[in-house]
Amino acid sequence: MTGMADQQARRGRNFDQVLEGARQVFLRDGFERASVDDIARAAGVTKATIYAYLPDKELLFLEVMREECLRQTAAEALVPADLPVRRFLTLAAERILAFQLSDFGQRMYRIVVGEGARFPGLGRQFHDFGPGLVCQRLGQHLRGYVGSGQLAIEDIELAADQFAQLCKATITDRLMLGIAEPVTAERAARITQGAVDMFLARYGAGG
């Protein structure tokens, strides 16, 4: 992926169609086994059309990853700013866990980990588009609650990452190791509520 930071996607009429075809193929076959021919068939376009938008497979993969991560985290920007802190944290925890449990979240994480040795930039890009973006937006909200006196946090960046990790407790390792265990609504609620309770016990004002 040398120089990929210098390349940019060129959007056009069939761009979303290309991304959807690429998304299907990458999630099905992984990065290494996915072919541009298969992506063109899935998207219903020619290879020339794909290359007109995205000059190589690496950039295409990154664009799929970026678009999906942004879509998955877009709802975070719609959270009202005046929610009570516990209610906000509960919503945030539910969304973080939902992404972790999503088919895209699980498959993409495995692809990035599996291809990381061959393409070192992949992990950084996935982090920046996914978990890093979540923590950045979470930190913005936390600053507001600190300003209003509802939370007492000195290191916002650390606290945001701590909360995100709490929301994945008992889940991440099992999923990445391929241990198939159903996450019931009751178990999900136990995880998210535990994350909120622990976070507020540490950072709640006066806590």
Side-chain angles (χ1 to χ4, degrees):
M1 291 192 178
T2 303
M4 72 181 172
D6 298 326
Q7 303 180 68
Q8 293 186 3
R10 293 181 289 275
R11 294 177 177 269
R13 181 168 58 88
N14 296 321
F15 186 77
D16 290 341
Q17 190 175 331
V18 168
L19 284 189
E20 179 54 30
R23 180 184 186 278
Q24 295 173 20
V25 174
F26 282 132
L27 292 184
R28 183 191 70 204
D29 299 338
F31 176 80
E32 185 65 25
R33 294 194 305 275
S35 73
V36 177
D37 286 322
D38 288 341
I39 292 170
R41 280 191 291 271
V45 300
T46 65
K47 288 175 65 175
T49 297
I50 292 177
Y51 286 129
Y53 295 141
L54 299 128
D56 56 50
K57 190 173 77 168
E58 290 88 350
L59 187 60
L60 179 56
F61 180 82
L62 290 174
E63 192 66 20
V64 168
M65 183 171 64
R66 186 184 74 85
E67 288 287 328
E68 186 68 14
C69 286
L70 288 175
R71 186 185 69 80
Q72 294 271 2
T73 58
E76 183 63 36
L78 302 178
V79 175
D82 58 350
L83 281 180
V85 64
R86 178 176 284 276
R87 178 58 181 155
F88 164 74
L89 290 173
T90 299
L91 285 174
E94 290 171 351
R95 289 172 181 173
I96 291 170
L97 182 58
F99 181 80
Q100 181 73 13
L101 295 175
S102 70
D103 183 63
F104 174 85
Q106 295 179 50
R107 289 175 183 249
M108 191 60 70
Y109 189 95
R110 292 190 184 108
I111 290 171
V112 171
V113 171
E115 304 292 347
R118 282 188 290 271
F119 305 108
L122 214 56
R124 166 58 63 183
Q125 296 282 352
F126 180 69
H127 175 270
D128 290 347
F129 295 152
L133 180 60
V134 169
C135 286
Q136 179 184 347
R137 290 180 173 175
L138 180 60
Q140 292 170 355
H141 285 281
L142 294 180
R143 285 187 182 88
Y145 289 114
V146 170
S148 65
Q150 297 180 67
L151 293 174
I153 304 174
E154 292 185 3
D155 190 332
I156 295 288
E157 183 179 356
L158 175 62
D161 191 56
Q162 287 174 331
F163 183 73
Q165 297 305 317
L166 287 172
C167 296
K168 306 170 190 176
T170 80
I171 296 294
T172 301
D173 288 346
R174 289 177 172 84
L175 288 177
M176 294 310 106
L177 292 172
I179 301 174
E181 294 180 348
V183 179
T184 63
E186 291 77 13
R187 184 180 174 197
R190 173 171 166 258
I191 293 169
T192 56
Q193 190 60 53
V196 173
D197 288 344
M198 182 169 287
F199 190 82
L200 288 177
R202 171 62 180 87
Y203 293 113

